[in-house]
């Protein structure tokens, strides 16, 4: 399969699976209308309990990434562009407080832009 789960990570396994699925969509391994691996298949592939995968799939369904179809499984309904929009909205929400503090502390946008560019290059 195309994902690995780090059981020593502070991020729970089901969240790693969610990120792995979203990453697969971003990379094009999974596209809209594709059927996701079955719960049992993915659980065996990444060596986790099927309940862990089921939890991840339920979360993905609640986020609108998947839809469950009786007799078919989980179908991908959000494509790459929607996933990117979701990530950007989440990032905006997370950045409001620190950017507000920086702005009111007198840090200029140029400094933040430079820091982001440097960080982007390191990653």
């Amino acid at each position: 399969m195309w994902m690995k789960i780090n059981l020593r990570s502070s991020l729970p396994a089901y969240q790693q699976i969610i990120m792995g699925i979203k990453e697969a969509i971003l990379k094009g391994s999974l596209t809209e209308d594709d059927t996701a691996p079955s719960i049992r298949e993915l659980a065996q592939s990444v060596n986790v309990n099927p309940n862990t995968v089921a939890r991840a799939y339920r979360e993905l369904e609640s986020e609108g990434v998947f839809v469950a179809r009786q007799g078919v499984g989980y179908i991908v309904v959000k494509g790459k562009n929607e996933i990117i929009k979701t990530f950007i909205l989440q990032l905006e929400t997370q950045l409001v407080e620190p950017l507000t503090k920086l702005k009111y502390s007198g840090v200029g946008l140029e400094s933040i832009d430079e820091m982001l560019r440097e960080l982007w290059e390191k990653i």
Side-chain angles (χ1 to χ4, degrees), residues 32-47:
E32 284 184 71
D33 298 322
D34 280 353
T35 302
S38 73
I39 290 171
R40 208 171 267 149
E41 178 186 342
L42 186 56
Q44 286 178 333
S45 175
V46 296
N47 294 319

Side-chain angles (χ1 to χ4, degrees), residues 11-76:
L11 192 65
Y14 81 95
Q15 288 181 340
Q16 292 179 55
I17 292 168
I18 291 169
M19 292 303 300
I21 295 288
K22 289 179 179 179
E23 200 173 287
I25 293 170
L26 291 173
K27 289 180 179 178
S29 303
L30 277 176
T31 59
E32 284 184 71
D33 298 322
D34 280 353
T35 302
S38 73
I39 290 171
R40 208 171 267 149
E41 178 186 342
L42 186 56
Q44 286 178 333
S45 175
V46 296
N47 294 319
V48 297
N49 188 299
N51 291 331
T52 303
V53 177
R55 182 174 181 187
Y57 279 20
R58 283 191 308 272
E59 291 274 334
L60 288 163
E61 186 176 19
S62 73
E63 290 179 24
V65 176
F66 282 175
V67 66
R69 293 216 177 111
Q70 186 73 28
V72 177
Y74 287 88
I75 309 296
V76 178

